Amino acid sequence: MSEAVAHLGMTDITAAIAAQQLSAKEVVRACLLRVDDCNDRVNAFTAVYAERALAKAQRVDEQLRQGVALPLAGVPFAVKNLFDVAAQTTVAGSKILDTNAAAAADALLVQRLEARGAVLVGSLNMGEFAYDFTGENQHYGACCNPRNLAHMTGGSSSGSGAALAAGMVPLTLGSDTNGSIRVPSAFCGVYGLKPTYGRLPRSGTYPFCDSLDHVGPMARSVNDLAVAYNALQGFDASDHACAQRPVELIDATQRSRQPLRVGVLQGYFDPPEFADATRVVDTYAKALAATGARVDYCQLELAEAGRSAAFLITNMEGANLHYEKVIAQAEAFDADTRDRFIAGSLLPGAWYLRAQRLRRQYAKQAAQLFGHYDVLLAPATPIRAPLLGQKTMRMGASELNVRANLGYFTQPISCIGLPVICAPLLQADSNGPAPALGVQIIAAPWREDLCFMAAAQLADTGTTRSEVVATTKT
């Protein structure tokens, strides 16, 4: 049964439970078996809450018998381990936080999902303190890409992508500062949403870079992603960045009455050195054009400067957050993370101010572009998932550091907080499923609806899809 449930999406599960073909407890039990089957190979989960999950599933079944409406009844989900889970210590991919007190309550987004009948089953692997694009964690081990276990998942929401692709759960939550939802979504071949900065509250999550931190859902279909996003929305005053905006429910079956205006980003986003990634964008652009969309080519002139600004802001805010821990327990950090925090603590404050000014200028330029286009398309990653342990990648005649540059295309978009859906393009080779690539579907602030509209139209064409690919242990 666990194999069958692994292929079910969120809406499949809720439909089966509503038809009394399955109970919530049966679904959760099958999910836990699937995790047990797969996790020793994929290493997506760092903690499994079996007792809590089964008790919650039983309560969901009781509520359904009493006629309580639960739109996410029985949907198992898991969260990046920087989300608070009541009675558990929030480790954020580190060992240095192990001695902290356990969380008093679940993170707000966990509460919102469980209030609608979803069931938390565990916490997921991630890069230490979210400062990572690889999915390789010195303390908890590398998270392996279910599409090919010899390859990286991407990070820092590594377990969030891998758990979906392996069919362990149909829904995960991740965070994205510079691409940490979009990179693993692309590599693992799933959908991920980085919403507008301030759209979803970060309450009850461990921070990294306040100016750039986002939280969002990941799923295996556009519809499931929309259902999760609808459940997560709402203002919360405990996150100062959370905007007081109305909940705008997404209907992923809705199609635009007017042709979408699509801008394919060129220049910085179209380097010949990363031709595989840009060919995927062309594939998506042609698919949208076939649906009637008006496709044109454009540039974000300040994209490269925006990426530099995001680098500085991330480095300096992260360094400031962890300064005292680095001074007191430097040896307890992953060496790469520690060294980046040390470097950030040495940068001049004037650089940070210049970076923040550049962000405002860059946001104005982007706003002008959205006067002409509904959505913009750009690659999600420069290359397919590297091999585990790979340190460098090629860009023309240059060797670039993998860890720093897998966010080459995502960082400029995070810098100004634009909403993005990463949609996957899957391929196979003679050995079976190959690491995937993805495309960023980008809209103006607060226009997640347009991201979903374009993603759904692409799904209609069969261009984008996700699939369960991991095999169970023998």
Side-chain angles (χ1 to χ4, degrees):
M1 184 179 181
S2 66
E3 182 73 22
V5 169
H7 291 269
L8 296 179
M10 293 168 56
T11 49
D12 300 321
I13 289 169
T14 55
I17 289 175
Q20 299 184 346
Q21 296 167 345
L22 289 170
S23 68
K25 197 166 186 178
E26 287 173 328
V27 171
V28 169
R29 188 177 287 117
C31 168
L32 293 169
L33 287 172
R34 179 71 177 183
V35 172
D36 183 62
D37 283 343
C38 295
N39 198 54
D40 60 343
R41 300 176 69 223
V42 177
N43 197 30
F45 279 78
T46 54
V48 178
Y49 310 126
E51 185 176 346
R52 166 184 166 144
L54 290 169
K56 171 64 178 176
Q58 182 172 326
R59 176 60 180 153
V60 167
D61 287 331
E62 291 169 355
Q63 289 177 293
L64 291 174
R65 285 193 291 270
Q66 295 164 5
V68 178
L70 296 172
L72 298 182
V75 172
F77 74 100
V79 298
K80 189 174 184 175
N81 68 27
L82 56 67
F83 283 79
D84 286 350
V85 175
Q88 306 294 326
T89 299
T90 306
V91 295
S94 75
K95 283 295 185 184
I96 205 168
L97 302 183
D98 276 353
T99 56
N100 282 11
D106 294 334
L108 179 59
L109 297 191
V110 174
Q111 294 179 41
R112 287 180 176 175
L113 290 175
E114 289 216 318
R116 289 160 175 80
V119 179
L120 177 69
V121 297
S123 292
L124 299 164
N125 207 347
M126 61 175 283
E128 184 185 55
F129 292 121
Y131 210 169
D132 169 63
F133 278 131
T134 68
E136 296 178 314
N137 186 295
Q138 176 181 296
H139 313 295
Y140 297 93
C143 194
C144 302
N145 193 325
R147 298 190 59 77
N148 186 319
L149 295 171
H151 289 256
M152 296 175 183
T153 55
S156 62
S157 303
S158 51
S160 303
L164 289 168
M168 298 187 198
V169 285
L171 170 65
T172 60
L173 298 183
S175 70
D176 189 310
T177 301
N178 286 298
S180 289
I181 285 174
R182 290 160 289 160
V183 171
S185 292
F187 284 169
C188 294
V190 301
Y191 289 88
L193 169 68
K194 183 200 78 62
T196 306
Y197 179 79
R199 171 72 86 174
L200 297 182
R202 305 168 297 184
S203 312
T205 63
Y206 196 88
F208 172 27
C209 171
D210 182 71
S211 292
L212 301 173
D213 286 347
H214 306 66
V215 288
M218 299 166 66
R220 290 196 300 267
S221 74
V222 179
N223 191 51
D224 283 358
L225 195 70
V227 170
Y229 172 62
N230 290 342
L232 296 170
Q233 287 186 65
F235 174 69
D236 182 60
S238 64
D239 178 2
H240 74 92
C242 189
Q244 294 194 51
R245 296 189 66 90
V247 171
E248 297 178 351
L249 299 181
I250 300 295
D251 179 357
T253 65
Q254 181 183 356
R255 299 296 177 266
S256 175
R257 296 179 181 178
Q258 300 295 325
L260 283 172
R261 301 170 302 162
V262 179
V264 180
L265 287 173
Q266 302 287 281
Y268 176 87
F269 294 96
D270 187 35
E273 297 90 347
F274 299 139
D276 270 0
T278 56
R279 274 196 294 268
V280 174
V281 177
D282 288 339
T283 299
Y284 278 58
K286 290 174 183 175
L288 283 172
T291 71
R294 297 199 296 266
V295 177
D296 197 1
Y297 295 86
C298 59
Q299 294 195 37
L300 270 172
E301 301 292 347
L302 288 175
E304 186 169 10
R307 184 182 183 222
S308 297
F311 250 122
L312 280 169
I313 292 165
T314 302
N315 198 204
M316 296 179 77
E317 288 193 17
N320 181 64
L321 178 67
H322 294 282
Y323 180 79
E324 292 182 359
K325 291 191 288 291
V326 170
I327 294 298
Q329 303 179 65
E331 72 288 346
F333 284 79
D334 178 304
D336 287 338
T337 308
R338 178 199 62 215
D339 291 349
R340 293 167 93 180
F341 285 147
I342 291 172
S345 69
L346 300 175
L347 297 176
W351 290 11
Y352 178 83
L353 297 177
R354 288 178 62 189
Q356 292 287 13
R357 285 196 296 269
L358 185 280
R359 286 178 76 201
R360 291 192 289 273
Q361 182 184 356
Y362 179 29
K364 289 179 181 177
Q365 182 194 85
Q368 292 174 349
L369 199 58
F370 285 117
H372 302 283
Y373 301 103
D374 297 313
V375 295
L376 305 174
L377 300 184
T381 59
I383 58 173
R384 297 185 187 278
L387 290 166
L388 291 168
Q390 183 175 329
K391 300 300 183 185
T392 63
M393 64 185 199
R394 299 289 299 178
M395 185 175 182
S398 302
E399 286 281 340
L400 302 182
N401 179 276
V402 160
R403 185 167 180 166
N405 287 287
L406 290 177
Y408 185 89
F409 294 123
T410 54
Q411 279 183 293
I413 308 306
S414 303
C415 181
I416 47 178
L418 302 175
V420 189
I421 286 179
C422 179
L425 183 69
L426 307 185
Q427 290 189 338
D429 58 27
S430 58
N431 297 315
L437 284 166
V439 167
Q440 297 184 86
I441 303 170
I442 308 157
W446 317 112
R447 294 309 307 268
E448 285 84 355
D449 61 312
L450 293 173
C451 295
F452 276 101
M453 196 172 294
Q457 288 186 199
L458 282 166
D460 288 346
T461 69
T463 308
T464 67
R465 62 188 178 87
S466 186
E467 61 188 5
V468 172
V469 290
T471 57
T472 57
K473 62 187 178 184
T474 56

